[in-house]
Amino acid sequence: MKKTIRQIAEMAGVSVTTVSQILNNKGSRFSEETRKRVLDIVNEHQYRPDYFASNLINRHSKTIGMIVPDVTDFFFSKMVEGVEKYLNPLGYMLILCNSQQSLDKEIQLLQDLNHRSVDGVLLATPNLLPEEYAYGHDFYRRMPLILIDRGINQRDTGRLIIKEYEGAYQAVHYFTKQGHKHIAMLKENGTYYQLQERFNAYRHALKDAGIPFKKQYVAVGDLTIEGGYQMAKEVLTHPEITAIFCSNDAVAIGCYRALYEAGKKVPEDISVIGFDGLPFTPSLTPALSTVSQPIFDIGFTAAKFIVDAIEFPERRIPNKIFETKLIIRESVKNNTK
């Protein structure tokens, strides 16, 4: 038989209020011994709060909505993992929604989640939100919002800032230090991601190395495996190219395929660096050099921000800066010899 919260409290020798506060992460005033005793009994009897009843009393559903542009994207699947890692131990459930990169669908999903009385929303968006749905608007008065948007939408708090420029600059600078002078870039077409900082870093790193920028060395397309394949085929029409910087790791996979079909070897003929640091990159042949960004930690922090916004609405949500790091593996050749 399922135990009630009153029975759990009696077994632990504490009040119902104490059990409730500990389970809702508001038990900082209790000793570690008390917390452990309560949680041990909860786990032993597999007690789960009745969140429907709790919602009626506290007006909290213990659900968080998350809207992402593409649920199949490697980047967002890793981010969702970080979100759930933070939410699940606190008893929150995640409702995952796919906007398919559409602003109209994002707005519709925001309305739907609001009607379903979620406690808050994480919105990963490549879009600039219209004024009536802008961050801090009255629409979110009862539904806190945390944006994961590369800074597209203006706000002073709750910003998740990734040092993309620095990471991309490191990648292209490394190419130049290895003696590469004809360096291509496979970049986004602007219809989905807005990764202008990566392109800016590419141009500035070339300039700082005294290498002229050549427009024909830049291919534009979708940031997918197929997009990478098509863009790589385009830049390979310039046989002098010895290095390719890919805007993300999925593009790098497509680039590998195009190079293989063209009879080119990595890194003997063409060196390649990706961006994101996804878990599969060490398993490619050869292992892909990439700019790693802490995708899991971004999701984990976004989840912490939304829970804090829900449970402590009077607090100011801080901004968080995430470092990027160039990881050198086997896909870059020293071209100075």
Side-chain angles (χ1 to χ4, degrees):
M1 178 184 291
K2 179 182 176 182
K3 298 292 184 183
T4 66
I5 191 171
R6 185 173 298 281
Q7 289 172 317
I8 295 294
E10 289 174 354
M11 294 170 71
V14 298
S15 69
V16 170
T17 300
T18 296
V19 175
S20 176
Q21 290 183 340
I22 288 173
L23 291 177
N24 285 285
N25 200 35
K26 296 180 179 178
S28 59
R29 67 186 180 88
F30 305 114
S31 70
E32 197 58 39
E33 180 184 353
T34 300
R35 286 174 56 84
K36 185 177 185 304
R37 185 167 69 253
V38 169
L39 293 175
D40 284 348
I41 293 172
V42 165
N43 290 330
E44 179 185 350
H45 294 277
Q46 298 182 326
Y47 170 75
R48 293 293 180 269
D50 187 338
Y51 290 119
F52 179 74
S54 176
N55 186 28
L56 294 177
I57 298 170
N58 302 318
R59 298 186 181 275
H60 283 300
S61 64
K62 298 293 280 192
T63 57
I64 303 292
M66 184 172 185
I67 304 171
V68 299
D70 183 355
V71 294
T72 66
D73 189 292
F74 299 119
F75 179 90
F76 290 110
S77 63
K78 190 67 178 176
M79 183 180 292
V80 169
E81 185 182 336
V83 170
E84 290 195 316
K85 183 70 173 181
Y86 187 84
L87 293 182
N88 289 350
L90 299 179
Y92 282 91
M93 290 294 291
L94 187 68
I95 300 176
L96 184 61
C97 306
N98 184 9
S99 71
Q100 299 175 320
Q101 308 148 35
S102 164
L103 176 59
D104 289 341
K105 191 162 186 180
E106 284 177 357
I107 298 304
Q108 184 61 55
L109 287 169
L110 283 171
Q111 293 172 345
D112 291 345
L113 290 169
N114 188 30
H115 292 153
R116 289 177 181 271
S117 300
V118 298
D119 291 337
V121 172
L122 297 170
L123 173 56
T125 175
N127 301 308
L128 180 65
L129 297 174
E131 184 177 350
E132 60 270 30
Y133 291 94
Y135 186 87
H137 192 271
D138 287 346
F139 178 79
Y140 306 108
R141 186 158 43 91
R142 295 183 181 177
M143 188 183 72
L145 173 74
I146 294 295
L147 292 173
I148 307 167
D149 67 345
R150 305 185 187 279
I152 294 171
N153 295 276
Q154 292 299 312
R155 58 198 184 278
D156 297 324
T157 65
R159 297 181 66 205
L160 302 160
I161 304 162
I162 306 159
K163 290 189 173 180
E164 298 188 46
Y165 177 95
E166 290 82 353
Y169 186 96
Q170 286 181 53
V172 181
H173 178 69
Y174 184 76
F175 275 148
T176 66
K177 296 297 287 186
Q178 295 300 304
H180 295 276
K181 299 184 184 302
H182 300 282
I183 304 167
M185 180 175 181
L186 312 184
K187 72 180 293 289
E188 87 288 350
N189 55 23
T191 60
Y192 177 8
Y193 291 100
Q194 300 291 331
L195 304 180
Q196 187 63 31
E197 287 298 287
R198 299 181 193 181
F199 181 55
N200 291 342
Y202 164 77
R203 295 194 63 168
H204 293 162
L206 292 178
K207 181 179 178 181
D208 290 347
I211 299 173
F213 167 75
K214 294 184 179 180
K215 186 177 180 180
Q216 63 269 30
Y217 285 3
V218 178
V220 177
D222 295 334
L223 293 190
T224 61
I225 294 174
E226 179 61 24
Y229 172 72
Q230 296 296 339
M231 288 188 280
K233 287 177 64 176
E234 180 181 335
V235 299
L236 286 176
T237 59
H238 304 285
E240 68 277 14
I241 287 174
T242 63
I244 300 176
F245 173 51
C246 301
S247 283
N248 73 5
D249 291 338
V251 165
I253 296 176
C255 178
Y256 268 37
R257 175 186 159 203
L259 293 172
Y260 174 79
E261 289 185 1
K264 302 286 186 182
K265 291 185 177 181
V266 180
E268 291 86 350
D269 301 313
I270 305 279
S271 295
V272 179
I273 296 179
F275 198 112
D276 278 343
L278 294 172
F280 60 73
T281 52
S283 301
L284 297 176
T285 304
L288 177 67
S289 300
T290 183
V291 177
S292 173
Q293 57 175 326
I295 307 168
F296 179 94
D297 292 343
I298 295 166
F300 189 88
T301 303
K304 181 182 186 306
F305 280 2
I306 196 66
V307 170
D308 285 351
I310 293 163
E311 298 190 355
F312 309 104
E314 72 284 354
R315 292 186 185 176
R316 183 182 186 275
I317 303 299
N319 298 319
K320 175 73 173 179
I321 298 174
F322 296 92
E323 300 287 339
T324 51
K325 181 181 180 181
L326 177 62
I327 299 175
I328 299 301
R329 297 196 181 105
E330 301 164 13
S331 63
V332 179
K333 173 187 174 183
N334 187 319
N335 214 35
T336 59
K337 301 174 183 177

